[in-house]
Amino acid sequence: SGEVLGATWDEFDLETGIWIVPAERMKAKELHRVPLSKSAHSIVKALHELRTSEFVFPGGVRGKALSNMAFAKLMERMKVNDATSHGFRSAFRDWVGDETHFSRDVAEQALAHRVGDATERAYRRGDALEKRRDLMEAWANFCDTNADDNVIRLRQPGA
């Protein structure tokens, strides 16, 4: 959640739909490019129009980002007691591995995990951005699926 909460508007290229997280804010201390799905891009553009701070998610104190406790408190108010923000990353990884044909490397790069040993990483300089863009679009489609799409109504509402 730290990368998201600390996101600033200058990290976003709204023309290409890429969020560039600087190395100093990444756990591995390496710059990470995040391709935005169409729906995420649309949300970020709408937030940009309403921006009131350098932060994408401003906190209650001027010049500060939203607290890392905000998400935990939101989940608490929603009575979601059996999930964590890190669990969303795990759910994403399980979905990629179990439900898609995207490669392990693409999934791991989407999570900003280092892939391979030092020798392999020395030769692998790309970040599979366009493959990850396809992955993010597939994930967004999965997340945006309307639960009613697979429900057969036995009775019409109000009948």
Side-chain angles (χ1 to χ4, degrees):
S1 59
E3 288 86 0
V4 172
L5 293 175
T8 57
W9 288 113
D10 62 340
E11 297 171 0
F12 286 82
D13 182 336
L14 295 177
E15 286 186 32
T16 62
I18 298 174
W19 170 29
I20 302 170
V21 186
E24 59 270 12
R25 288 199 313 102
M26 292 297 298
K27 188 185 216 178
K29 301 300 180 201
E30 293 178 8
L31 178 142
H32 184 59
R33 295 190 310 161
V34 180
L36 302 175
S37 67
K38 290 175 188 163
S39 57
H41 190 207
S42 176
I43 291 167
V44 169
K45 283 174 78 171
L47 286 172
H48 187 258
E49 293 298 317
L50 302 171
R51 70 188 180 279
T52 59
S53 166
E54 68 180 300
F55 293 102
V56 177
F57 301 102
V61 177
R62 189 169 188 68
K64 298 277 187 179
L66 193 63
S67 162
N68 63 355
M69 288 303 296
F71 190 64
K73 288 293 185 184
L74 172 64
M75 291 176 65
E76 182 181 303
R77 284 193 302 273
M78 294 173 65
K79 298 184 181 358
V80 178
N81 301 316
D82 58 348
T84 64
S85 57
H86 199 76
F88 287 103
R89 290 172 56 89
S90 178
F92 167 78
R93 186 59 184 93
D94 285 346
W95 171 82
V96 175
D98 295 345
E99 304 295 330
T100 78
H101 295 291
F102 289 96
S103 73
R104 172 188 175 278
D105 286 1
V106 170
E108 292 299 312
Q109 285 181 327
L111 292 165
H113 291 165
R114 290 185 175 182
V115 179
D117 62 19
T119 302
E120 185 178 353
R121 287 193 309 271
Y123 285 94
R124 177 76 173 122
R125 295 192 180 114
D127 66 359
L129 182 70
E130 291 310 312
K131 288 182 179 183
R132 290 188 297 116
R133 188 182 301 277
D134 292 342
L135 173 58
M136 293 297 94
E137 200 60 47
W139 175 243
N141 290 337
F142 173 77
C143 291
D144 288 346
T145 301
N146 185 339
D148 287 342
D149 288 349
N150 65 356
V151 174
I152 299 171
R153 296 196 185 279
L154 299 177
R155 184 179 329 152
Q156 292 297 324

